[in-house]
Amino acid sequence: MRANGARGRGHMISEAQKLRASKNDGHLVLALMAMTVVTGLVDAISFLGFGRVFTANMTGNVVFLGFAVAGAPGLSIRRSLTSLIAFLVGAIMGGRLAVAMVDTSRRRWLVTVAVAEAALLFAAALVSIRIDVGSATASNSVYVAIILTAVGMGLRNATVRRLAVPDMNTTVLTMTLTGLAADSSLAGGSNPRILRRVASVFLMFIGAAIGALLLRFSLSLALVLSGSLVLVTAGIFATGLKPNAADGNVRVDH
């Protein structure tokens, strides 16, 4: 009888832990969806406001750099290279931060990263006040804004990569779209995580559209909105994730 009772209590504890883990994962996915919107905003800001450069989507930025090296008009080697280097610096910072906080809770780690990204975006908003979007030449403020936003995106990408949440990369949709098609019922699949995949595509689209619309009024406003959304994700991390065993600490994979 005692053995049966112990097994029953153990089963109840296990089920409670699974429930907490499920809730934590749900909050995590919600926060990453908000960050996907921010990616759309930032790419709209950088491409339309900083002069045909991406500071979040490095695939596109490397392609732009190749075009610029080949002499394609309207593109800048200096701007694309600045963005790429700044992004890599941010990714290094993200990796170092994960290592430094390996013994802390996942909640504290993610809140720290989100607050840092928001601070960089708010700093870029302040700098962008001096940017003339319609100018044909890039001022020093443009380069500072490129650096600030690219560092923030690199920091976030390094963090999201370590989280490894399926179909929630937050910055690149190529594999998400591939999975959406290749795993669909049309391809003989079972449509796994279809809602998450569709939501990721839609949210980045929405972010890009909102960013383009806001640039008609103010570059700084678009960056302030981006930083504010990242702060919302920090709030989700702080209140939705529990620093317990179900959460798990930062895992650094080599």
Side-chain angles (χ1 to χ4, degrees):
M1 293 292 290
R2 290 180 179 177
N4 289 336
R7 282 196 296 269
R9 286 193 296 273
H11 178 72
M12 290 175 64
I13 292 172
S14 177
E15 289 301 317
Q17 288 176 340
K18 288 180 181 179
L19 180 60
R20 286 196 298 269
S22 177
K23 289 181 178 179
N24 284 344
D25 289 343
H27 284 105
L28 182 59
V29 169
L30 179 62
L32 294 178
M33 284 185 175
M35 285 189 164
T36 303
V37 177
V38 174
T39 297
L41 282 164
V42 170
D43 271 341
I45 291 165
S46 59
F47 183 81
L48 300 174
F50 300 159
R52 293 192 177 184
V53 61
F54 284 129
T55 58
N57 180 3
M58 284 302 112
T59 302
N61 193 53
V62 169
V63 171
F64 283 167
L65 181 59
F67 291 164
V69 168
L75 297 171
S76 167
I77 295 175
R78 186 179 175 188
R79 271 174 285 188
S80 293
L81 197 58
T82 298
S83 177
L84 180 60
I85 293 172
F87 183 91
L88 292 174
V89 169
I92 292 171
M93 291 169 59
R96 297 287 296 180
L97 184 61
V99 172
M101 300 186 72
V102 69
D103 293 324
T104 65
S105 68
R106 184 171 66 170
R107 180 175 71 176
R108 177 176 292 183
W109 170 50
L110 294 177
V111 168
T112 301
V113 171
V115 170
E117 181 183 335
L120 288 164
L121 291 173
F122 285 134
L126 187 62
V127 170
S128 69
I129 294 174
R130 303 178 61 180
I131 295 176
D132 179 8
V133 176
S135 176
T137 57
S139 64
N140 289 334
S141 295
V142 169
Y143 287 99
V144 174
I146 288 173
I147 291 170
L148 289 169
T149 54
V151 168
M153 294 300 104
L155 175 64
R156 187 225 287 181
N157 269 266
T159 304
V160 171
R161 177 179 175 273
R162 289 177 184 271
L163 283 173
V165 178
D167 298 309
M168 291 307 303
N169 179 275
T170 78
T171 54
V172 180
L173 293 178
T174 303
M175 293 308 296
T176 301
L177 288 166
T178 301
L180 192 61
D183 297 335
S184 68
S185 55
L186 292 175
S190 58
N191 299 305
R193 298 184 297 277
I194 185 170
L195 292 179
R196 182 185 299 185
R197 289 170 171 176
V198 171
S200 295
V201 175
F202 178 72
L203 290 171
M204 192 176 292
F205 168 81
I206 288 296
I210 292 173
L213 289 172
L214 287 178
L215 282 174
R216 297 180 181 180
F217 305 98
S218 171
L219 178 58
S220 297
L221 179 60
L223 284 164
V224 167
L225 176 60
S226 300
S228 300
L229 282 175
V230 176
L231 281 185
V232 169
T233 68
I236 295 173
F237 290 145
T239 60
L241 300 183
K242 305 300 180 184
N244 52 30
D247 232 353
N249 290 339
V250 178
R251 292 195 303 272
V252 181
D253 300 322
H254 296 285

